[in-house]
Amino acid sequence: MDRRMLVAGNWKMYTTSGEGAVLIQDIAQLVEEQWDDVEVAVCPPFTGLKAASTVIELDRLRISLGAQDVHWEAEGAFTGAIAPRMLTELRCDYVIVGHSERREFFGDTNETVNKKVRATFDAGMVPIMCCGESLDVREGLGTEAFVRTQVTEGAGGLTAEEAARLVIAYEPIWAIGTGRTPTPEAANDVCRAIRATIGAMYGPPAAMAVRVLYGGSVKPENASMFFSEPDIDGALVGGAALKAGSFADIVKAAR
Ligand code: 13P
C-alpha cells in the first residue's frame, strides 16, 4: 500500500489572519513542484481559516486546510467553541484532535478526543488525532502501553473505512518545542505500535492505510531521517511551520 506522505503545519496560537494568508502564499511559491508527491496541509487558528481558505481557492493551491480543534456537538450553548459544520463551511479537510496542549491546558481526555474524532468524520473531515507520552510516562508505565491506550480509546467506534482514512500524529510531549527528539528508530517503533493497534481494532487493510505522522521538533535538518523510516508517513510541524523556507524544506525532505 502506497501511503501518500503528509506534511502538516500546526500554527498553534501564532498567526493573525493576515499573517497566515501571506505565509500560505510564500509556502505555495516554494513547494509547487512537490505537490504531486507530498500532501501539504496548514492548520491556522480558527480566526485565520476564512482567509486561508480564500487564498487557497483563489490561487487554486493544492494545500489542504485543517483546524486545530473542534467541539463534538453539532451546535449548542458552548460559549467559545466551534462546531464541525462551521469548519466544513470554510472547506476544512482536517481537524487536529487531542493535541497534548489541548489535553494539558483545556482538559481534553481520551473520551472527549473520541467524541471529537467521531464528530469530525461525521462532518466529512478527517481527524489528525494526536497521541504521545510525557517524560514521566516514558520512564514509568512506558511509551508504547500509554500510546496504545490513547489510540484504542481515542480512535474507538469507527468503521474500518474511517480508520483507513484517519491520520494519527505521534508527538512525544518532551519533544515538542524543545529541540529534543527521539531517534528516528525509536519514533518508528512507536509509530509501528500505533499502526499495529489500528490493525488489531480494524484489520490489516486499515493498518496498512492509516497515516502515522511524527511530530516534535521536526526541522529541515532532521526531517529526512524521520521520513526514511517505514512507519512514518510525514510530520506534524510546529515552530518550523511558521517560516515558509523551513516548512518548504521539510516538505522537500518528504519526497
Ligand atoms: P514543534 O515542531 O514546535 O516541536 O511542535 C510540534 C507540535 O506540537 C506540532 O503539533
Side-chain angles (χ1 to χ4, degrees), residues 129-186:
M129 189 187 84
C130 299
C131 59
E133 82 290 358
S134 64
L135 267 188
D136 280 355
V137 166
R138 191 174 188 83
E139 284 152 16
L141 174 67
T143 298
E144 283 191 21
F146 182 80
V147 168
R148 277 178 193 275
T149 302
Q150 284 186 316
V151 172
T152 305
E153 295 182 4
L158 305 181
T159 66
E161 182 272 329
E162 286 168 338
R165 288 190 291 123
L166 180 65
V167 179
I168 300 179
Y170 168 55
E171 301 203 308
I173 295 169
W174 51 272
I176 295 176
T178 59
R180 298 180 56 199
T181 64
T183 63
E185 297 77 23

Side-chain angles (χ1 to χ4, degrees), residues 10 12 99 101 171 175-178 215-219 236-240:
N10 175 7
K12 305 192 180 185
H99 191 281
E101 289 149 14
E171 301 203 308
I176 295 176
T178 59
S217 296
V218 174
K219 304 275 183 280
L236 185 56
V237 185

Side-chain angles (χ1 to χ4, degrees), residues 68-187:
Q68 297 177 17
D69 188 38
V70 69
H71 198 281
W72 57 84
E73 294 287 350
E75 61 177 28
F78 301 104
T79 302
I82 299 289
R85 67 191 184 91
M86 299 169 188
L87 301 177
T88 47
E89 182 190 31
L90 299 177
R91 292 185 291 277
C92 284
D93 308 287
Y94 294 101
V95 183
I96 298 172
V97 173
H99 191 281
S100 60
E101 289 149 14
R102 298 292 321 174
R103 295 176 191 258
E104 182 177 358
F105 303 121
F106 301 96
D108 280 18
T109 62
N110 291 346
E111 190 187 343
T112 59
V113 166
N114 184 240
K115 290 185 187 176
K116 291 177 180 189
V117 165
R118 179 72 265 146
T120 299
F121 273 126
D122 286 344
M125 299 175 288
V126 171
I128 300 176
M129 189 187 84
C130 299
C131 59
E133 82 290 358
S134 64
L135 267 188
D136 280 355
V137 166
R138 191 174 188 83
E139 284 152 16
L141 174 67
T143 298
E144 283 191 21
F146 182 80
V147 168
R148 277 178 193 275
T149 302
Q150 284 186 316
V151 172
T152 305
E153 295 182 4
L158 305 181
T159 66
E161 182 272 329
E162 286 168 338
R165 288 190 291 123
L166 180 65
V167 179
I168 300 179
Y170 168 55
E171 301 203 308
I173 295 169
W174 51 272
I176 295 176
T178 59
R180 298 180 56 199
T181 64
T183 63
E185 297 77 23

